[in-house]
Amino acid sequence: MKEILQYLFNHNTLTKVEAKAILTEIAQNKFNDKEVTAFVTVFLMRNITLQELEGFCEALMQLSVKVNLGEDLADIVGTGGDGKNTFNISTLASFIVAGAGQKVAKHGNYGVSTVSGSSNVLEELGYKFKNNEADLKQDLEKANLCFLHAPLFHPALKSVAPLRKGLGLRTFFNILGPLVNPSKPEFSVIGVYNLEIARLYQYLLQKQKRNFNLVHALDGYDEVSLTADTKIISKNGEKIFSPEDLGFQKINPDEILGGNSISESAKIFKSILEGKGTLAQNAVVTANAAIVLESTQKFGNYNSCLSLAKESLESGKALNCLTHLIN
């Protein structure tokens, strides 16, 4: 590792093959914590390259626990690390999408640079993580949604979890997470915290010939926040949407803040699904859900998808999906 670090400290970058090999060795615990921390720190000081991103992703997918959950699955996930401390918007949107009739294989993890990640809030609500294919298929059958807790599927992520938590900073692992859902969903809506990362994702996902929508609020959120205009990038091009274009008034950032603890975050999560959310909270989750539904090209245009998302939330269908998942 010392030679690798010296090479990187001299402003060099890794090839795809080198990146894949190094992350594989990290997963196999071949380096000590200080060496791995130094390696991760390199990517806090400069952006990851496309070659490095490809290599890291290939390593994670090759080492991952394999599951075949069928086709026609969607995922909505953010890089995290936008520093905005919102409630769990993409996870809530996942249940709304499931309630509207689209099967979801949600990939998630504990929060690292945020109070409560998707894994934190679902665990707090009583969900037991699993990586058995039969159990996950059963969840899909009864709840229209299954949850894939990243450390159970990615040994490399599990081995660096304490280090990431200790740093408490956004690292390149945040960037890898949305790209390595082991169920390989057909439809991916990925929130990104800046446009440089969006470009990297765009190149990689186009190269892989995947269906994708990359979402970036121009004031820095890794989701449709309705606090500013949103750029959406797909394989067909890119477009900027105002909150009004998406069917809502612009909202204040304070209106979509999350809790200061995991238990607070879980209470917010449950209250929104129970129909007790504020107008701003409901607007944000249904807007994000509508983007996912539209991306599948099965539910009509955006306005039709927004109506379906609202109906899923207001009728209690989204809450039923959570109830079936936990029970």
Side-chain angles (χ1 to χ4, degrees):
M1 179 61 95
K2 288 182 178 61
E3 293 80 9
I4 296 163
L5 291 172
Q6 193 59 59
Y7 177 76
L8 292 171
F9 293 156
N10 288 332
H11 307 288
N12 295 304
T13 62
L14 302 170
T15 66
K16 176 181 166 182
V17 172
E18 289 168 337
K20 182 177 179 180
I22 291 165
L23 197 61
T24 300
E25 291 183 327
I26 287 172
Q28 294 165 345
N29 294 310
K30 290 193 176 178
F31 309 115
N32 64 45
D33 287 350
K34 290 187 175 66
E35 290 172 324
V36 177
T37 301
F39 181 75
V40 169
T41 303
V42 169
F43 300 93
L44 294 174
M45 299 170 73
R46 69 159 171 87
N47 285 326
I48 194 171
T49 68
L50 181 59
Q51 291 284 312
E52 289 165 340
L53 183 63
E54 276 192 284
F56 292 151
C57 285
E58 277 196 15
L60 283 183
M61 290 304 283
Q62 195 167 301
L63 292 164
S64 67
V65 174
K66 304 297 185 285
V67 284
N68 180 4
L69 302 177
E71 298 177 350
D72 193 34
L73 299 172
D75 188 15
I76 174 170
V77 61
T79 53
D82 63 11
K84 302 294 189 181
N85 190 32
T86 55
F87 64 90
N88 301 84
I89 293 170
S90 61
T91 310
L92 271 158
S94 297
F95 283 96
I96 293 170
V97 169
Q102 170 61 48
K103 289 193 181 299
V104 177
K106 174 83 179 95
H107 190 223
N109 204 344
Y110 291 128
V112 174
S113 51
T114 186
V115 171
S116 178
S118 54
S119 292
N120 297 106
V121 75
L122 288 178
E123 189 174 51
E124 180 73 13
L125 290 168
Y127 180 70
K128 306 296 183 193
F129 302 134
K130 55 196 79 167
N131 65 357
N132 179 286
E133 187 177 294
D135 290 340
L136 292 166
K137 281 183 174 177
Q138 189 176 30
D139 284 349
L140 270 175
E141 190 64 35
K142 67 182 182 180
N144 228 28
L145 180 148
C146 66
F147 184 76
L148 296 91
H149 177 55
L152 291 184
F153 292 88
H154 296 292
L157 292 179
K158 193 172 184 179
S159 66
V160 298
L163 179 153
R164 293 178 70 197
K165 192 66 181 174
L167 280 173
L169 297 169
R170 178 178 68 215
T171 67
F172 71 82
F173 288 102
N174 287 75
I175 301 167
L176 299 182
L179 298 171
V180 293
N181 184 328
S183 70
K184 299 179 182 176
E186 189 175 346
F187 309 104
S188 296
V189 174
I190 302 173
V192 290
Y193 60 84
N194 74 30
L195 288 173
E196 284 182 271
I197 300 304
R199 294 295 169 220
L200 275 179
Y201 276 17
Q202 184 182 13
Y203 298 143
L204 183 58
L205 293 166
Q206 282 179 328
K207 197 173 176 182
Q208 296 175 346
K209 295 184 168 60
R210 282 171 62 179
N211 292 306
F212 66 90
N213 278 272
L214 304 175
V215 176
H216 172 67
L218 297 184
D219 55 349
Y221 289 84
D222 66 338
E223 54 219 344
V224 177
S225 64
L226 301 178
T227 56
D229 291 354
T230 300
K231 175 166 275 199
I232 299 180
I233 303 169
S234 73
K235 62 182 182 181
N236 300 317
E238 54 190 78
K239 192 173 177 183
I240 292 176
F241 298 88
S242 68
E244 289 77 15
D245 292 332
L246 297 173
F248 298 99
Q249 296 297 309
K250 184 177 177 180
I251 66 175
N252 190 300
D254 291 344
E255 296 180 275
I256 54 171
L257 287 175
N260 295 313
S261 66
I262 293 168
S263 61
E264 272 186 52
S265 299
K267 282 177 187 172
I268 292 170
F269 193 97
K270 193 81 181 290
S271 72
I272 292 170
L273 286 181
E274 288 174 340
K276 302 169 190 168
T278 65
L279 289 176
Q281 289 171 334
N282 293 345
V284 168
V285 294
T286 52
N288 281 277
I291 298 291
V292 182
L293 292 168
E294 187 186 21
S295 75
T296 69
Q297 299 183 329
K298 293 189 303 185
F299 301 96
N301 63 18
Y302 173 80
N303 287 332
S304 298
C305 292
L306 182 59
S307 295
L308 276 175
K310 287 178 176 177
E311 198 266 337
S312 173
L313 179 61
E314 291 166 7
S315 68
K317 289 178 182 176
L319 177 62
N320 285 340
C321 290
L322 175 67
T323 303
H324 290 315
L325 184 74
I326 292 170
N327 297 331

